[in-house]
Amino acid sequence: MIPSWFAHLPAPPVRSPVLLERLAWPDAESTLQDVLLLPVGAMEQHGPHLPLNTDTVIAQSTCHLASALTGAPVLPALGYSVSLGHTVKWPGTFSLFHETLMLTVREIAQWAAASGWKRLLIVNSHYGNDAALRCAVDRLRHDLGDSLLTATRNTWNLTEEIAGRFTHDAADWHANEAETSLMLFLDPSSVVQERISTADDPDRTAGCVFPHRVAHTSLNGVTGRPSLGAAEQGALLISQMGEALAALIEKARVEHPPLSWAP
């Protein structure tokens, strides 16, 4: 199944993504030697103009494009994660605690390893998940050793150029130009476009010592300038993100520990 937005990319891929949930088990078995992708998003407020599943759409779309470019299999996205910092000021945020996400990812990874996959790449699009996912990977590295090589990467900094696209209008960005552009391209019907022009809210975190919750740093849940967003910019950005992830997959397919060691 080819996502409709593929056709509007600067260089559309020639094949569909490999969605594990749509495969019968013999076909899933044929992917065991490849890198398994786990997209992780969030269910949280994204300002007055973007849908609650913005991070999930971005994580999933990045993985789907990379899968179409490489043939790597993609698990269904995790849509609930660590959104504690967004508080309940703006309805629609549903958060897990860090330890819940860590345990969930670890259990998914353990099933992957038991089934025969050897490599798992967690692809995250929500900043609040970063610490929990890195801790989960560290625990999996201890628990599973070389039987399942596991890593986590964030979609917003797959390359320096991509990172610059996300931070140009706010260092502590959220629902900003980059995310707005991506959603205008990936799922424009979910964006309340008449609210974009008045949604800008500046980054108030410069110089802060403590990591304040979003309700203390933003008036409307936005940090950045969504008014600068455009679908054309989103098409270029998701292309860069998918291609960068595809390059990472190619490296992960052949990587082994630099030294051998058995406890």
Side-chain angles (χ1 to χ4, degrees):
M1 185 173 67
I2 301 178
S4 60
W5 54 268
F6 272 22
H8 304 288
L9 291 169
V14 297
R15 57 184 168 184
S16 302
V18 180
L19 307 183
L20 203 67
E21 65 196 286
R22 298 178 63 85
L23 302 181
W25 74 258
D27 305 306
E29 186 176 48
S30 71
T31 73
L32 290 178
Q33 299 308 310
D34 212 335
V35 180
L36 183 61
L37 305 179
L38 174 60
V40 184
M43 176 70 174
E44 65 178 25
Q45 71 82 19
H46 264 76
H49 63 298
L50 294 182
L52 304 173
N53 70 341
T54 290
D55 289 337
T56 306
V57 171
I58 293 171
Q60 183 173 266
S61 298
T62 304
C63 287
H64 286 185
L65 179 52
S67 174
L69 294 172
T70 64
V74 185
L75 284 162
L78 286 180
Y80 292 94
S81 60
V82 182
S83 298
L84 299 172
H86 287 273
T87 73
V88 295
K89 178 177 180 179
W90 303 283
T93 296
F94 291 82
S95 182
L96 306 180
F97 287 107
H98 295 78
E99 53 268 32
T100 308
L101 179 61
M102 290 166 59
L103 182 59
T104 300
V105 168
R106 284 167 51 204
E107 291 186 350
I108 291 171
Q110 287 161 357
W111 275 92
S115 298
W117 277 280
K118 304 297 183 183
R119 290 170 167 79
L120 173 67
L121 186 57
I122 303 163
V123 182
N124 173 47
S125 285
H126 171 51
Y127 189 87
N129 296 334
D130 181 62
L133 293 176
R134 285 188 287 112
C135 287
V137 167
D138 201 33
R139 176 63 185 270
L140 288 166
R141 184 174 62 168
H142 169 76
D143 291 346
L144 300 178
D146 297 341
S147 63
L148 183 72
L149 298 176
T150 308
T152 181
R153 291 292 187 275
N154 299 315
T155 56
W156 65 85
N157 60 7
L158 288 166
T159 67
E160 289 186 10
E161 184 177 0
I162 291 168
R165 285 284 292 107
F166 275 87
T167 58
H168 75 91
D169 59 337
D172 191 35
W173 53 269
H174 190 251
N176 66 334
E177 179 274 314
E179 290 196 317
T180 300
S181 292
L182 286 168
M183 293 304 291
L184 284 171
F185 177 68
L186 296 170
D187 191 7
S189 65
S190 71
V191 181
V192 187
Q193 300 194 28
E194 61 268 23
R195 296 177 185 164
I196 293 176
S197 63
T198 58
D200 291 3
D201 204 46
D203 189 346
R204 298 178 175 87
T205 64
C208 290
V209 174
F210 297 102
H212 301 286
R213 292 179 293 174
V214 180
H216 291 139
T217 62
S218 175
L219 296 174
N220 61 356
V222 171
T223 304
R225 301 185 63 188
S227 65
L228 300 177
E232 296 79 7
Q233 294 164 191
L236 293 174
L237 182 54
I238 195 64
S239 294
Q240 292 175 319
M241 292 161 67
E243 290 166 4
L245 181 57
L248 200 64
I249 291 166
E250 297 292 359
K251 290 180 63 178
R253 280 174 164 163
V254 297
E255 182 175 303
H256 295 279
L259 298 174
S260 60
W261 175 77

